[in-house]
Amino acid sequence: MRKAVSTLKYGLAAALCLGSVAAAVPALAQVSDDKVKIGVLTDMSGQWADMNGPGSLLAAQMAAADFGGKVLGKPIEIIGADHLHKADVGVGIARRWIENEQVDAISDVTNSAIALAVQQLTREKDRVALFSSPGTTDLTGKQCSPTGVQWVYDNYSNAIGPIKALIDKGNDTFFIVTADFAFGHSLEKIASEAIKANGGKVVGSIRHPFGANDLSAFLLPAQASKAKVIVLATAGKDMTTAIKQASEFGITAGGQILTAPVMFISDVHALGLDTAQGISFIEGFYWDQNDETRAFAKRFYEQRKAMPTALQAGVYSSITHYLKAIEAAGTDEAKAVSAKMRELPVNDFFAKNGKVREDGRMVHDMLLVQVKKPSESKGPWDYYTIVATVPGDQAFLPLDKSECSLVKK
């Protein structure tokens, strides 16, 4: 009898001990598949690869490593893929990642058309989407999602400020050269509305195919229009090609102004200061802004041999915030994490007192920059003069104007 009581006592003690351990780490049981897996879906080899691509994958890997490689005691895994700027390829990769490879979040997603499709898929499959690269405002507008966030910029933030500044200086007629896909269409619409709202006039527009090697057929009508400003509603190599050819055709020498709302430091680097000097645009991040940005950029440069773009820095920041939200929520379940992302402030080298709104827009201060003259630059990658800081509540579309169904009005 004593032996039976003794066995029972030890059995109860063991059970109580195991129970206390389980109570101490309930969050561990809430991580699906015993790991947090993040897929970086981007342009690894095409015309936008320099501004995101392998650099975005590196930024994601740095974020995971800096977080300690684990969250809630479970490993963080980063994978990447090239969507080739094809919607069917991009969505196919995203679907395979979610359904077969247990990916919890999809990051970056260059190309607005692909991003909108991924937004729909992650909404249906209860996964998180961390958009750093796409510019379409539909991601936080009529196609918003409770599990999607848009981190760095959008077409509204980058078009409104420069256009208003140009009109205020008397440059009131515009011709728009547009990339013929979702990103360009969105940017053209927002630019046109901003021009008209500020008393300007759109005298013409034309759309070019993605990846065109020669944009002369689209620039010459802009030149012939005599518009004071030519808006390049395009990005990447299409945009740098347009700027180079505008210089060759004497467009800028003839007095017409170019504005490139969606431009990044990789574009300036590709153009060179001789060609890019004087261009003003809105940026979400600049590596030489302060000690924190320089510290991150130095580590990034050591591995990439290029300074980080705003998009790449945004990948790091959004993934770090996502991991913090998992830790705070005690689970990697998409809706719970997304809700926590909206609760927690964003405070890192990328943004101070940033806020993810209910529509998924991460609101943070933006920078109005001007490209330096060659004589003003102190060396490689010293490309910007920061003209002004645009407060986040002025940079982005006001929440009360959002078309997102998640916004209470």
Side-chain angles (χ1 to χ4, degrees), residues 123-138:
R123 185 194 301 115
E124 293 171 356
K125 299 292 186 178
D126 194 33
R127 296 293 191 276
V128 172
L130 307 168
F131 298 112
S132 291
S133 294
T136 177
T137 54
D138 284 349

Side-chain angles (χ1 to χ4, degrees), residues 75-152:
I76 304 164
E77 183 179 349
I78 305 292
I79 60 173
D82 189 344
H83 56 45
L84 305 176
H85 285 286
K86 297 179 180 178
D88 57 340
V89 173
V91 174
I93 292 168
R95 186 176 295 278
R96 185 186 76 240
W97 277 354
I98 291 170
E99 295 180 352
N100 301 333
E101 300 182 34
Q102 293 77 50
V103 164
D104 300 291
I106 297 177
S107 171
D108 199 14
V109 199
T110 317
N111 188 304
S112 290
I114 297 172
L116 290 168
V118 169
Q119 176 95 304
Q120 181 176 343
L121 180 65
T122 52
R123 185 194 301 115
E124 293 171 356
K125 299 292 186 178
D126 194 33
R127 296 293 191 276
V128 172
L130 307 168
F131 298 112
S132 291
S133 294
T136 177
T137 54
D138 284 349
L139 289 168
T140 55
K142 56 188 177 183
Q143 295 192 46
C144 68
S145 166
T147 62
V149 296
Q150 193 171 15
W151 207 257
V152 177

Side-chain angles (χ1 to χ4, degrees), residues 295-309:
F296 170 75
K298 181 181 178 182
R299 293 195 299 127
F300 183 94
Y301 185 87
E302 286 171 353
Q303 298 186 66
R304 182 72 184 144
K305 303 308 176 190
M307 287 301 178
T309 64

Side-chain angles (χ1 to χ4, degrees), residues 276-298:
Q277 63 181 305
I279 297 177
S280 294
F281 53 97
I282 297 290
E283 266 279 30
F285 165 87
Y286 180 42
W287 73 268
D288 200 18
Q289 188 177 354
N290 54 51
D291 288 344
E292 284 185 277
T293 58
R294 284 188 286 270
F296 170 75
K298 181 181 178 182

Side-chain angles (χ1 to χ4, degrees), residues 156-174:
Y156 182 96
S157 69
N158 283 36
I160 299 298
I163 285 172
K164 185 178 185 303
L166 285 164
I167 293 175
D168 287 347
K169 291 180 180 179
N171 302 296
D172 56 359
T173 56
F174 294 76

Side-chain angles (χ1 to χ4, degrees), residues 241-283:
T241 296
I243 292 173
K244 288 176 182 176
Q245 291 189 328
S247 178
E248 292 167 3
F249 298 154
I251 291 175
T252 48
Q256 288 177 294
I257 297 169
L258 291 181
T259 183
V262 182
M263 193 170 186
F264 300 99
I265 198 167
S266 54
D267 301 316
V268 177
H269 188 71
L271 285 167
L273 293 184
D274 283 332
T275 302
Q277 63 181 305
I279 297 177
S280 294
F281 53 97
I282 297 290
E283 266 279 30

